[in-house]
Amino acid sequence: MATSTHCPYCALQCGMRLTAGNDGAGAVSVTPREFPTNRGGLCHKGWTSAAVLSTPDRLLRPLVRDADGSLVKTTWDEAYTRIVRGVKRARARSGPDGVAVFGGGGLTNEKAYTLGKFARVGLGTAMIDYNGRFCMSSAAAAGGRTLGLDRGMPFPLGDLDGADAVMLVGSNPAETMPPFVQHLRSARERGGLIVIDPRRTPSAALTDDGAGVHLQPLPGTDITVLMGLLHLVIVGGGADERYLADRVTGWDAVKRSAMMWWPEAVERETGIPVAELRCAAKILMKSAPVVGGHGAYVLTGRGAEQHAHGTDTVSAALNLALALGLPGRVGSGYGCLTGQGNGQGGREHGQKCDQLPGYRKITDPAARAHIAEVWGVEESDIPGPGLPAVQLLDALGTPEGASMLFVHGANPVVSGPRSGRIAERFAALDTLVVTDFVLSETAAMADVVLPSLQWAEEEGTMTNLEGRVLRRRRAVPAPDAADGPRDELRIWHELAELLDAPAGFATDPADAFDELARASAGGIADYSGLSHAALDAWELADDEGGTGAFWPAVRDAMTRPDPRTVGTPRLFLDRFATPDGRARMIDVRSAGVADDLRPDAPLYLLTGRLLQHYQSGAQTRRVAELNGIEPEAFVQIHPLTAARLGIGEGDDVEVRTRSGAAVGIARLSNDIRRDCVFMPFHFAGRGAANLATNPALDPVSSMPEFKVCAAAVARFDEQDAPTGDDDAAHGEHAARAGQAVRA
């Protein structure tokens, strides 16, 4: 029997069906299904997603580190005993904040919600954050201050289908979420696709043959590009002055700033020819509703956001969209392409250090009182805000930081910035507890490893990039053994009981969701009108097989829902979510990268994703079909730059920055600027690109500047390689992680 569910990878959450063997186990086949985001398509990762379910190195028993430093199999009782002892030691040393929690954007809504609750009233710690801080935080911060709330795309993805123009700012969906590309067909056919990216990515290549224009700026100059486009919109008469007067504040200041960026000045700062900039502005202006166009969209991605000024970059994109009169209109708008599968839901319900469920601020007395009532605790039992991810991780094992860490659904020793430093801090912990279904690089460093269920073995919900709440369904049984993998909801319930937590913890995902719905009621991200039963009923009523429900889905408004449009598909049609209902333009300034070029580091290091891999690669590197295509780290470099440095195709190349060094195989390509090199961040060991990335933080969002830093690039000789502090830390990590798991 086939089970309707969704892909375990990106935030597109493509619809698929899983079919197991006759006995409910054995090989699992994947077939796509009609769903609004993928419309019957899947990418290479989606087609092969079931392969991870049977990976030979699946964790099937808890592991603990013995006196010899090896991970050995144990019972759940012994693993829990180790954990409780660790919590007591950490609390005795530093109080409740001596224990920290790091979550992930791939956890279901039920798990994300419960993890936040477990941290705050199970452990009593304020020290929780998650890897979404590395993904969506700048866009969330910018959306919140301009629009009043953050929902990645405040409209259904299908709305793009009729647009005259779509501008992608630092996004490469042709590789990161390929089924998305079909929604760009209309814009491409009308010559309206605009891509801003320092590399000629597969998405940028979609602008060829008259389909649009690729703007290839100097890294870190996106704000200047966007202000230059706004300048041209203003002088070209393309600003929607009536819309601005009726729906926006701050226009006068933003307009004055943009008038400074005439095209020739933008060309000097960014390297983009004036003619190309004018072409992009013309496309946007003729597509805008104010002149009768069929609509335009401005969409941002990690390439624009993962910077020390990423929040301001997104604000500049929002300013441009607002000047054109796009947000809050059917057929036009601004959106952010969320990356992780539940990056949206993961940040809405309590994994962020400053938020409570429903996207509430943890410092808001009314929010605290509401959540305390739902949890059945005193308001004083809920800690205040903690530290954002980079600061939290950097303090681990220090006198000021936690001495114990729980990690759920993340692999930060590969995915975090300056990952050698993160490995060093993990090695300094008294107790590291990691829950995962494979021995990731982070799990391999742990003192206790708890085996969890996989996506196809669990029930729950996810929230995709549109803010659409979806049902994830169990398609195959979990491994059946007394000490086999357990659902995290059960794990947190059992640990909370052992720690004498003041609140109860649901073990059934439907019950956990019902509690989440109550907790979110009245918040920005209101799920109060939803439940597993309701989502299932609407799916059965929908001939397309179920399309989920958009938040906010307020209980009182859900009496007779249309299963095709449950909740709020389009936001801001009447007013923005600000106190006065008007969008707030933010007057931003152009700023350089935090770590700019210098004589000993004359090239920019850029990082990003590949078609075949996802996030830290802990899952996709275990799929032979995917790993066979992209098996190792590489360094993309322009042929002229390579020739100047004496580098040939296939040479080992070291990329060294102030943070550390990474090594990959040289790939010569004309698709990258001569002043840049590119590395994918999916690989571990010496090929981990994040050994070299810059941990400088955006002052608003605390997003690290993953996307660009100054680097020295040279052929790599193992014997001559220098060893610095970060390399030594990575070596210690590798040695510890490489120890065998013994029976």
Side-chain angles (χ1 to χ4, degrees), residues 260-277:
M260 298 170 56
W261 288 104
W262 56 92
E264 292 75 15
V266 174
E267 181 178 42
R268 285 197 301 271
E269 292 287 326
T270 69
I272 295 175
V274 168
E276 293 180 5
L277 197 72

Side-chain angles (χ1 to χ4, degrees), residues 34-341:
E34 282 295 324
F35 188 72
T37 58
N38 63 305
R39 293 178 177 161
L42 289 176
C43 74
H44 204 169
K45 292 186 291 291
W47 278 110
T48 59
S49 56
V52 186
L53 298 171
S54 57
T55 185
D57 62 345
R58 169 78 185 270
L59 292 174
L60 297 174
R61 294 274 302 277
L63 306 173
V64 294
R65 197 167 296 279
D66 67 7
D68 295 330
S70 296
L71 287 171
V72 298
K73 295 176 182 177
T74 191
T75 64
W76 280 96
D77 286 344
E78 172 59 23
Y80 284 164
T81 297
R82 293 272 192 111
I83 292 169
V84 172
R85 287 175 183 165
V87 171
K88 290 180 178 179
R89 286 196 303 272
R91 285 173 170 172
R93 181 183 294 118
S94 306
D97 287 350
V99 184
V101 176
F102 192 80
L107 299 177
T108 63
N109 286 315
E110 295 78 2
K111 291 180 181 180
Y113 167 79
T114 304
L115 182 57
K117 178 182 176 182
F118 175 73
R120 293 183 172 102
V121 297
L123 297 170
T125 182
M127 296 300 136
I128 176 173
D129 212 60
Y130 84 128
N131 64 8
R133 182 71 63 179
F134 303 155
C135 177
M136 285 293 299
S137 56
S138 289
R145 69 185 187 181
T146 290
L147 306 174
L149 65 77
D150 154 46
R151 196 179 88 183
M153 294 181 68
F155 48 82
L157 183 57
D159 283 5
L160 298 180
D161 294 343
D164 281 341
V166 175
M167 185 168 77
L168 301 174
V169 187
S171 181
N172 180 21
E175 285 198 279
T176 60
M177 47 180 68
F180 175 95
V181 171
Q182 63 188 301
H183 297 283
L184 302 176
R185 183 177 298 118
S186 172
R188 294 181 64 213
E189 288 175 349
R190 299 169 185 176
L193 179 61
I194 304 165
V195 178
I196 303 176
D197 200 306
R199 299 169 58 224
R200 187 177 182 275
T201 63
S203 296
L206 294 174
T207 64
D208 291 350
D209 302 322
V213 59
H214 172 206
L215 306 180
Q216 198 168 5
L218 184 73
T221 62
D222 291 333
I223 292 178
T224 301
V225 176
L226 292 163
M227 294 183 77
L229 289 171
L230 180 55
H231 173 101
L232 289 170
V233 167
I234 295 168
V235 299
D240 190 338
E241 296 290 352
R242 183 169 184 175
Y243 170 98
L244 289 162
D246 291 344
R247 304 201 62 186
V248 176
T249 61
W251 170 231
D252 289 342
V254 168
K255 183 177 181 179
R256 284 195 298 271
S257 295
M259 291 308 295
M260 298 170 56
W261 288 104
W262 56 92
E264 292 75 15
V266 174
E267 181 178 42
R268 285 197 301 271
E269 292 287 326
T270 69
I272 295 175
V274 168
E276 293 180 5
L277 197 72
R278 290 187 184 278
C279 177
K282 183 178 179 181
I283 290 170
L284 291 170
M285 285 190 287
K286 73 177 183 180
S287 305
V290 68
V291 296
H294 290 97
Y297 289 89
V298 176
L299 306 177
T300 61
R302 305 302 82 72
E305 300 156 12
Q306 289 178 327
H307 289 272
H309 50 271
T311 302
D312 282 353
T313 303
V314 178
S315 292
L318 277 160
N319 289 344
L320 176 61
L322 288 165
L324 290 162
L326 308 182
R329 273 183 161 150
V330 176
S332 292
Y334 161 81
C336 170
L337 300 185
T338 306
Q340 295 187 84

Side-chain angles (χ1 to χ4, degrees), residues 409-422:
N411 190 17
V413 297
V414 174
S415 63
R418 198 185 177 197
S419 55
R421 167 70 176 177
I422 294 174

Side-chain angles (χ1 to χ4, degrees), residues 484-544:
R486 292 182 181 177
D487 182 88
E488 285 99 329
L489 295 180
R490 177 182 173 186
I491 293 171
W492 298 322
H493 171 86
E494 292 170 341
L495 284 173
E497 287 191 333
L498 292 170
L499 293 166
D500 297 322
F505 289 81
T507 57
D508 184 278
D511 292 340
F513 188 91
D514 288 345
E515 185 180 312
L516 178 161
R518 294 195 303 275
S520 73
I524 292 173
D526 191 328
Y527 285 30
S528 62
L530 305 178
S531 66
H532 282 205
L535 289 167
D536 289 342
W538 294 326
E539 176 161 315
L540 292 173
D542 194 312
D543 293 338
E544 294 183 351

